[in-house]
Amino acid sequence: MKSFIISLIIACILVSNVFGAVGGKRVLIIVDDLSMVKSHSQFFSTLEGKGYKIEYHSAGDKVELEKYGDFFYDHLILFAPTSDSLSITSSDVLKFIDGGNNVFIAASNGVISDTVRDIATECGIEIEDDKTSVFDHFNYDKQQSEQNLIVADQYIQDAPIILQGLQTPVLFKGVGHSIRQNPLNYAVLTGSSTAYSRKASGVATKLMGKKVGLVSSLQARNNARVTFAGSIDMFSNKFFTSKLGKDTVGNREFAESLLSWTLQERGILRSSNLSIKKISTESNSTVAPEILTIKDEIEYSITVEEFVKDQWVPYVGQLELEIIMLDPYIRTFIKGNKDGEYKSIIKLPDVYGVFTFEATIQKPGYGNLDTFVRQPIRPFRHDSYERFIPSAFPYYAACFSMIVGVFVFSIVFLFHQEPKKAL
Amino acid sequence: MKTISIFLILGIIITVIAATNSGISNIYSKYDLNRVKDYIVSKQDSNGLFNGELKDTYYGVSALQRIQETIGKSKELCKNVKSQLTKNSDIESVFYAVSILSEAKCGGLDASVVDIVTPLLKTKLASGNLIEIYQAVNTIFTLQTAKLNVAIDNNTLEAAVGKLVSLMDAEEGTFKLSDSEQANLANTGLAYFTLARLSHRLKSPEADKLIAKVVAKVGSVMSAGDETQGALSFGGNLATTSSILHGVLSLSSVNDQITDFVSAEQINSIGEYLVKQTNIESLSDAYYLILGLKRCQKNSINQPLHLNLLQTVYSNQLDNVKLQVQDILGADVPSKVVISQAVLSSARTSPIISNVELTSADSKTYSVQNFESGKFKLGSYVFDFKITPVDTQFGAITVRRVLTVSGAVAVKDFKVAVADTKEALGTATSTVVEFGKKLKSPINANGNQTVKFFFRIVSNDQPFQVKQAAIQLYSSAGIETVIPVAFSVDAFSVTLGVKDIAKRLGNHAGLYNADLIIGDNTITPIKWNFAELQFDLGAVEPTTPLTRFTDSQPITHKFRTPEKRPPQTISDGFTILVLSPALIFLLGLVKVGINFKRFPTNNLVAFVSTLVFICCICSVGLLIVNYWIGSTMDVTLKNLGLLLIPTVFFGHQTLSYMNQERSLLKEKEN
């Protein structure tokens, strides 16, 4: 009975690992004012429906993100753009991100606190000045007179996993930003060519066209995700239920997709079953055959999985494998099979040393997968070379004739015929 | 002294500015109110109760009653509530049941009910907590409104006043539920309302004196609210905010001093908070929302007003200004409306019109008689309105609104010039492009040249400054940039080196389409494809990759090619050559001859030594062969070293024996 219970516990742990969530479920939501919990209730309810444990705090509340290196939350939603009384500092949030946790920030076209600005800057996002709005005189909600209530549909193209193919335009009213040219930064939603950023005084800033960032994200190297939206209103119940003519705007779908991606509900990769098997060798040596030797033919295999809908499923794509000793000696691309297995037969270089076998997958919108293993590659032993080289027969003949000669000479020296004396 | 005076004046000015009442930004629309109503109705069960609970039924019935909506299933409702009243004897159920029966006009509140509840009410007034006193007091008044005689004397009620006031936090003015608990804002509204009702009934100087203590702390309570974007709330929730508003306004009807602590602006800000509450998630919220809205609509301190402009964007000409003055629920409020001043948004110091009164024939829609529409051309105008309600109880409000006159503009004198230097642009020939048309052939420019775009924007032949003027360059490969164009005097122009443009385009040379973008709130925006530009950047490498991750190329390792070997025949020839001296050696051996009879057989020691010596020489040969086949130098040398010991020793023994034999043989022969 006892062993049955133990087995059951182990089985539960295994199952929870297989279907476990990536990134955890503890969410801290900080709002400028608790009334925002109501005005944005539909946005927050998407989290509640997925089993996240949410803790709401107003900006003035004393909140700690970590203590002695342990984080109290897995995700932070910062909907307090204006408040300067935030108890958490930008360095706390950056530490939180460095710990692999995710952050979702929204700002507005009013005054933006230094904390929010600092966090955004550290994440490669430069927010426009206070009281600056994005305008688009061509694409705005024609039912409203304000031309800063823009209709945006310039979604990110190279990372469809973020918005899952959303096409419906969204309403946006807020501040613009620019992002650094960096493969880790994603311009999830930008203004159209006719959009521009304008100060309250009516003066246009230099930020124009598709460079006007509306919503941007950072996929950090440690897989943490940070999303910055220039409009807090775009996640409000009011915007969720707004209409453009007869059509409903896509704010709800946009927010759901963006939030779920930011909270690592998809687009996370992991690897397992890495193996390097020797298939054939040119070495004749029988000493330590498991050690890799130059010119060995090996089979490199690894399994890659992707986190989709709360479970790990095989990831089918392309993997880049590099065999590196300071510089890559071999770089090859391996296609995965339907089980997410990536196999390739490779002939090792004829250079010996300690090599790194580095497998990487770089796909926009996906987490970084960088799996490496170090293996020494040895030169041939002296007995590994071919023994009988026909071209070297003269040398062999010289050596062996010498050996035989010495032996024969020794015998002759001992048992030679004494010269007969002349009588 | 002078400095103090300046600061004092500045302080007064700032206070006046801060205290300016600008009304509420919107009304609580009929659409939203209907949604609230629908929500309440949807919660009514078939037995007439709301959510099957007395508490929710109270909220539902009271809310519907306040917006004068008919309460459905009233028969079932009344029957069920009466039965609950007879079943439950706790103060909460009694309060809710009595209130529902009264609000729903069920009847059935008679002397028998009074007889049942009076002892309970007395107990709670004497020893209940704040909420229980609130419920008891309201139950008493509800019964009295139904013309029933509740046998509770004024002394008991005065004692209740004393008890309530004793629950107030002396510093903050908020109320505790009981002596042992912390004071909070949620209890405060209930306490205010209860005290107001008691004061109204008792009209006792003793009670009023106690209530004056509470009123003196109202200012402190009001300052505990959170104001965000002009909306004032308490405790971050609708129930507390509405309850405090209700309580404060109730107190104001029994104590005039309250206006010293509660300003018209604060009521306005609470109104601003209430109109934003469009998402109702509980019957409690619905009740408190309607309670708050109704109290804002009608009270003695301030009536939040909204100025509703019937039109804010005018096409080509501002023919008149039409507006309505409404209260928080959209009812018209007769007022005197004056345009204090109207200015162009880009030139605010020179008023276009001032002190113009708007009139209304029906006290609903106001407009200006003989409006000088000619003064308002294309642009945005800031209007300051002063609204003074006819009801002199309330003060005037000042509202600022922006009205826009929109229309079409045209682009004139559009020129593009390309020259080798900036200075040469003045003398270079410009390409003139007619507005609306496109150049047939591309404009060529190389990396060392400079390009200038020049144009004017006019409205009714007058220069017009737009907010957005830019040139968009885009290629078929998806590379694009937008270059802002600056306004100066009466024209727009931008001069840029092709190198700078190329930098924006990530040094991708080629053919680009060029569009002029003109935008402003007041005009019909323009996007005009006027030309194509061909940039030749020479040997400059593109800096920005078109893809996020640079495409890595496969790397294959180049193996060292094995050295060339000579043909086999040559090797064989050399082998024979190498072996040929062995023939000479063999011939020499034949000549020397072998005499195995010299092998020592008669001497055991010599026999063994010779045999071992020969074996050792064989072993050395075999050891070398073994080394060649597979052994290591280390092992070979060790073994060779070991073998040399017996080889030398036995060799020496053998040779010495042979030498002795030879000497003996010589002696014999001699």
Side-chain angles (χ1 to χ4, degrees), chain A residues 180-314:
Chain A
R180 273 182 227 142
Q181 283 291 332
N182 179 343
L184 303 177
N185 279 120
Y186 293 83
V188 178
L189 177 66
T190 63
S192 65
S193 305
T194 52
Y196 70 107
S197 181
R198 195 170 101 188
K199 291 183 180 175
S201 59
V203 179
T205 69
K206 286 181 180 173
L207 196 60
M208 287 191 165
K210 289 182 179 169
K211 294 272 179 200
V212 180
L214 306 179
V215 178
S216 298
S217 293
L218 169 80
Q219 163 69 66
R221 286 199 173 87
N222 66 351
N223 278 340
R225 287 173 177 168
V226 182
T227 290
F228 174 81
S231 168
I232 206 163
D233 291 339
M234 73 184 300
F235 305 112
S236 67
N237 298 352
K238 189 182 170 189
F239 277 44
F240 275 18
T241 51
S242 291
K243 290 198 168 186
L244 282 171
K246 286 178 183 174
D247 305 321
T248 309
V249 293
N251 286 53
R252 184 191 299 276
E253 293 77 18
F254 176 81
E256 283 174 5
S257 298
L258 185 66
L259 188 65
S260 58
W261 178 82
T262 307
L263 269 49
Q264 296 189 346
E265 286 181 21
R266 61 181 179 281
I268 297 294
L269 301 174
R270 74 172 181 188
S271 65
S272 57
N273 304 331
L274 168 64
S275 79
I276 297 171
K277 276 186 213 160
K278 191 187 274 195
I279 297 175
S280 66
T281 181
E282 287 185 14
S283 163
N284 297 318
S285 175
T286 51
V287 178
E290 72 282 357
I291 292 176
L292 299 179
T293 312
I294 56 168
K295 294 185 180 179
D296 277 356
E297 206 169 37
I298 57 151
E299 185 194 66
Y300 178 92
S301 97
I302 191 168
T303 305
V304 181
E305 291 169 299
E306 178 187 357
F307 193 70
V308 178
K309 291 180 184 168
D310 284 346
Q311 55 179 319
W312 291 99
V313 297

Side-chain angles (χ1 to χ4, degrees), chain A residues 198 200-202, chain B residues 307 309 311-312 314 318 321 323 338-356 371 375-386 398-405 467 521-522:
Chain A
R198 195 170 101 188
S201 59
Chain B
L307 185 145
L309 281 170
Q311 196 177 348
T312 54
Y314 292 81
L318 178 60
V321 179
L323 56 88
V338 174
I339 299 171
S340 305
Q341 66 165 16
V343 293
L344 188 63
S345 64
S346 54
R348 299 195 178 201
T349 48
S350 352
I352 297 164
I353 55 170
S354 57
N355 290 322
V356 177
F371 186 73
K375 287 184 174 177
F376 297 90
K377 288 169 186 163
L378 229 58
S380 288
Y381 297 89
V382 180
F383 278 72
D384 287 335
F385 297 95
K386 189 176 180 188
T398 306
V399 183
R400 178 166 286 185
R401 291 279 190 273
V402 176
L403 280 92
T404 302
V405 181
K467 297 276 190 305
N521 296 22
T522 58

Side-chain angles (χ1 to χ4, degrees), chain B residues 158-382:
Chain B
E158 270 185 32
V161 172
K163 175 85 191 288
L164 280 177
V165 176
S166 72
L167 291 172
M168 186 178 77
D169 183 292
E171 273 187 26
E172 293 177 358
T174 50
F175 282 77
K176 297 177 250 184
L177 186 64
S178 63
D179 290 328
S180 57
E181 293 187 44
Q182 290 283 318
N184 63 40
L185 284 167
N187 297 329
T188 309
L190 298 180
Y192 284 172
F193 179 64
T194 314
L195 288 170
R197 289 202 91 172
L198 287 168
S199 167
H200 193 72
R201 156 80 187 272
L202 292 168
K203 291 191 174 62
S204 133
E206 290 301 315
D208 289 346
K209 212 183 266 179
L210 286 170
I211 289 165
K213 274 187 188 172
V214 174
V215 170
K217 283 288 167 192
V218 168
S220 166
V221 170
M222 292 305 286
S223 64
D226 303 315
E227 188 153 7
T228 315
Q229 294 171 344
L232 178 65
S233 65
F234 294 88
N237 68 68
L238 185 54
T240 308
T241 308
S242 189
S243 167
I244 286 185
L245 174 74
H246 183 43
V248 164
L249 295 177
S250 303
L251 272 184
S252 71
S253 65
V254 295
N255 189 315
D256 294 340
Q257 297 296 311
I258 208 101
T259 48
D260 295 343
F261 307 106
V262 182
S263 66
E265 291 72 41
Q266 283 173 324
I267 302 296
N268 198 72
S269 299
I270 294 174
E272 187 69 39
Y273 170 78
L274 292 172
V275 294
K276 287 178 180 169
Q277 307 304 310
T278 49
N279 282 298
I280 293 305
E281 287 168 355
S282 67
L283 285 168
S284 157
D285 276 357
Y287 165 75
Y288 281 109
L289 173 70
I290 289 168
L291 177 71
L293 290 170
K294 282 283 173 186
R295 292 310 316 249
C296 278
Q297 195 182 28
K298 211 170 184 185
N299 66 72
S300 57
I301 298 176
N302 182 34
Q303 186 183 25
L305 295 179
H306 170 67
L307 185 145
N308 178 33
L309 281 170
L310 298 186
Q311 196 177 348
T312 54
V313 180
Y314 292 81
S315 183
N316 297 319
Q317 199 177 33
L318 178 60
D319 47 11
N320 206 334
V321 179
K322 289 182 180 171
L323 56 88
Q324 292 172 324
V325 181
Q326 298 169 318
D327 68 16
I328 199 164
L329 286 167
D332 294 309
V333 178
S335 308
K336 182 187 174 189
V337 184
V338 174
I339 299 171
S340 305
Q341 66 165 16
V343 293
L344 188 63
S345 64
S346 54
R348 299 195 178 201
T349 48
S350 352
I352 297 164
I353 55 170
S354 57
N355 290 322
V356 177
E357 188 170 348
L358 288 89
T359 54
S360 169
D362 53 2
S363 291
K364 280 186 178 176
T365 308
Y366 296 82
S367 59
V368 181
Q369 280 183 341
N370 306 320
F371 186 73
E372 295 170 280
S373 59
K375 287 184 174 177
F376 297 90
K377 288 169 186 163
L378 229 58
S380 288
Y381 297 89
V382 180

Side-chain angles (χ1 to χ4, degrees), chain B residues 435-446:
Chain B
F435 179 47
K437 294 190 175 171
K438 184 182 176 182
L439 276 183
K440 283 180 183 166
S441 53
I443 298 166
N444 294 303
N446 66 45

